[in-house]
């Protein structure tokens, strides 16, 4: 016969992992925050952060999700006005109509919309946040985080001159950042990168091309090999995995894929083809936290290191990213920089870099941070409601 304790334990194990909740109402807003300095990549310049935030109210809790899209479809095909329309017309109403669900049901709830992982991630993450807040569980604990602090890198935009680049790199290293990533584009690559390497022979240094090159540029990457790079991020077309395999076979540096990985299936295909030896995980690019965990698991099973990418997130997205970055497979410093690297004032309490180049992982329920109401009011340029 079982003891009472054994019976209770068995009952507990038989309980569903999470209680179902119903999304009663969704607040969707567009916020705008000036950037401390314009961020130039191979596909454009941003001097202002504009993003969509969603708050999902389940009655028991309000959960927050931040969309990683920008006003312009330059990084990928998604963009804010399109995301807003999807949230308003398809995804928001689908979530409300779904009734009592758990976050595990969201793939099915949103299955009538093909693609659009950034738009979906907004609501997936918001619903998951509400679910975890109601359960009193932190997102970090939910994803199996193993660290309380994570090592941080910083991504440096393309500058007007090499001197300006060296100055920025110097400043970030002085703050403690543990890896420097340089944005490159054709013509602003080999010499710039060599100059930074010469000034800092021992740092972890990587480059990110945001899909600006073709296979005809293999010689550029062979030159870059001489700068002993930690990785070359997304050198070729933003949806390619085939040509990346060819390039990877021809250069010494490890290729890391970012834009091309939109799901765990993409990650498995790219790893299987030998298109990359490292994966950048952005939860917002792959449809939200649950799919990001699956990308992590697929990469880890294949022995491929991953790291947490960034999309200049506000504190809401940053908190989400930090929880993921604390998972065991995230073995390289992420683009999880301090709030003040992006904004004079964040919409949450600022995330701060410690002098040792690490940042604390929030441990409160859900993502562990809340937007500050006055900051939301100041930064909101548009708001609407789905119920
Ligand atoms: O959040 O620190 C950050 C930005 C990191 O370089 C970064 N992101 O391709 O990895 C990337 C870029 C995309 C930014 S587009 C707005
Ligand atoms: Mg990138």
């Amino acid at each position: 016969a079982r003891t009472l304790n054994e019976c209770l334990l068995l009952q507990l194990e038989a309980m569903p992992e999470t209680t179902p909740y119903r999304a009663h109402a969704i607040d969707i807003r567009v916020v705008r925050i000036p950037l401390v300095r314009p961020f130039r990549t191979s596909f454009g310049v941003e001097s202002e952060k504009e993003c969509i935030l969603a708050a999902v109210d389940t009655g028991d809790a309000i959960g927050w999700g931040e969309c990683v899209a920008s006003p312009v479809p330059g990084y990928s095909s998604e963009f804010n006005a399109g995301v807003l329309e999807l949230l308003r017309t398809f995804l928001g109403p689908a979530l409300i109509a779904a009734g009592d669900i758990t976050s595990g049901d969201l793939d099915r709830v949103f299955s009538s919309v093909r693609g659009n992982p950034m738009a979906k991630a907004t609501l997936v993450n918001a619903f998951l946040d509400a679910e975890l807040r109601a359960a009193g569980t932190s997102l970090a604990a939910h994803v199996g985080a193993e660290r309380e602090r994570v090592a941080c890198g910083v991504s440096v935009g393309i500058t007007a001159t090499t001197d300006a680049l060296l100055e920025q790199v110097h400043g970030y290293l002085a703050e403690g950042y543990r890896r420097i990533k340089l944005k490159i584009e054709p013509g602003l690559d080999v010499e710039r990168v060599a100059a930074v390497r010469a000034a800092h022979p021992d740092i972890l240094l990587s480059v990110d091309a945001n899909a600006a090159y073709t296979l005809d540029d293999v010689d550029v990457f062979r030159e870059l090999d001489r700068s002993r790079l930690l990785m070359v991020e997304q050198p070729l077309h933003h949806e390619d995995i085939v040509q990346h395999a060819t390039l990877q076979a021809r250069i010494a540096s490890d290729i890391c894929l970012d834009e091309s990985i939109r799901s765990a299936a993409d990650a498995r295909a790219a790893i299987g083809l030998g298109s990359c030896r490292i994966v950048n995980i952005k939860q917002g690019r792959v449809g939200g936290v649950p799919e990001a965990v699956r990308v992590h698991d697929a990469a880890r099973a294949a022995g491929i290191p991953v790291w947490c990418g960034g999309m200049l997130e506000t504190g809401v997205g940053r908190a989400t990213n930090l929880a993921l970055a604390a998972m065991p497979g995230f073995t390289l410093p992420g683009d999880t920089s301090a709030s003040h690297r992006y904004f004079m004032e964040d919409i949450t309490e600022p995330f701060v870099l410690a002098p040792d180049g690490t940042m604390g992982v929030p441990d409160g329920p859900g993502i562990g941070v809340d937007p500050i109401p006055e900051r939301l009011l100041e930064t909101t340029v548009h708001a609407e409601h789905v119920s």
Side-chain angles (χ1 to χ4, degrees):
R2 293 189 178 109
T3 65
L4 177 62
N5 258 347
E6 282 166 349
C7 288
L8 287 173
L9 274 174
L10 282 172
Q11 270 182 25
L12 202 67
E13 276 166 24
M15 271 167 66
E17 214 194 312
T18 46
T19 319
Y21 293 103
R22 191 166 92 76
H24 294 280
I26 308 167
D27 253 309
I28 305 166
R29 65 181 65 228
V30 181
V31 297
R32 265 190 215 146
I33 319 175
L35 291 174
V36 290
R37 55 163 62 117
F39 188 61
R40 177 173 158 200
T41 63
S42 63
F43 61 84
V45 190
E46 285 188 11
S47 36
E48 193 180 46
K49 171 71 182 173
E50 182 196 287
C51 69
I52 293 169
L53 295 176
V56 168
D57 188 349
T58 60
D60 293 81
I62 292 176
W64 288 91
E66 173 173 340
C67 183
V68 300
S70 331
V72 175
Y75 168 87
S76 78
S77 58
E78 293 189 79
F79 64 107
N80 289 345
V83 170
L84 198 59
E85 179 61 17
L86 275 169
L87 293 175
R88 171 195 294 144
T89 310
F90 298 108
L91 300 173
L95 181 58
I96 300 285
D100 283 330
I101 54 161
T102 72
S103 53
D105 297 317
L106 290 169
D107 278 351
R108 177 183 54 76
V109 170
F110 296 141
S111 64
S112 62
V113 174
R114 289 260 165 95
N116 293 284
M118 294 180 176
K120 288 176 182 170
T122 318
L123 294 185
V124 167
N125 292 346
F127 188 88
L128 176 61
D129 184 39
E131 186 177 75
L132 293 173
R133 285 178 195 254
T137 307
S138 70
L139 179 61
H142 173 75
V143 298
E146 287 189 344
R147 291 181 284 268
E148 288 172 11
R149 306 192 64 80
V150 298
C152 299
V154 62
S155 171
V156 186
I158 297 169
T159 50
T161 64
T162 303
D163 281 346
L165 177 62
L166 288 168
E167 192 183 312
Q168 278 192 38
V169 168
H170 179 82
Y172 289 134
L173 288 172
E175 286 184 54
Y177 286 106
R178 293 209 191 163
R179 185 230 59 209
I180 297 288
K181 161 169 138 183
L182 308 177
K183 291 289 186 180
I184 57 168
E185 67 180 27
L188 295 175
D189 41 36
V190 175
E191 279 177 37
R192 291 254 171 126
V193 176
V196 173
R197 176 49 91 203
H200 306 282
D202 299 323
I203 61 168
L204 291 182
L205 182 64
S206 68
V207 296
D208 186 357
N210 288 110
Y213 296 83
T214 71
L215 271 182
D216 291 340
D217 297 311
V218 63
D219 288 341
V220 173
F221 295 100
R222 290 207 168 124
E223 289 285 322
L224 284 169
D225 279 345
R226 295 147 69 101
S227 285
R228 292 175 288 112
L229 298 174
L230 177 63
M231 70 189 91
V232 175
E233 188 175 336
Q234 197 71 34
L236 308 179
H237 187 277
H238 68 279
E239 289 177 330
D240 170 79
I241 57 171
V242 174
Q243 296 197 332
H244 278 102
T246 305
L247 182 63
Q248 181 65 92
R250 293 190 192 169
I251 65 174
S253 305
D254 290 344
I255 290 180
C256 169
L257 287 179
D258 172 356
E259 284 91 327
S260 292
I261 307 297
R262 291 149 301 170
S263 64
D266 281 348
R268 282 188 291 270
I271 292 167
L273 277 174
S275 319
C276 64
R277 299 188 191 133
I278 299 176
V279 173
N280 166 326
I281 297 185
K282 292 177 178 165
Q283 44 76 21
R285 187 196 66 222
V286 301
V289 167
E291 188 70 5
V293 170
R294 292 189 280 268
V295 175
H296 164 275
D297 294 348
R300 196 153 186 247
I304 295 285
V306 303
W307 56 282
C308 184
M311 292 293 281
L312 312 164
E313 285 92 344
T314 77
V316 170
R318 195 159 307 283
T320 311
N321 290 347
L322 285 164
L324 281 168
M327 293 177 72
F330 284 76
T331 52
L332 296 167
D335 282 342
T336 47
S337 312
S339 293
H340 84 233
R341 178 255 173 270
Y342 311 94
F343 320 114
M344 291 281 281
E345 240 190 303
D346 207 329
I347 60 166
T348 61
E349 290 301 325
F351 281 91
V352 177
L353 188 77
D356 71 349
T358 66
M359 203 176 290
V361 179
D363 59 4
I367 60 171
V369 300
D370 284 293
I372 299 164
E374 304 85 72
R375 284 296 291 151
L376 268 186
L377 282 177
E378 284 165 11
T379 56
T380 298
V381 294
H382 173 85
E384 56 188 273
H385 201 71
V386 183
S387 57

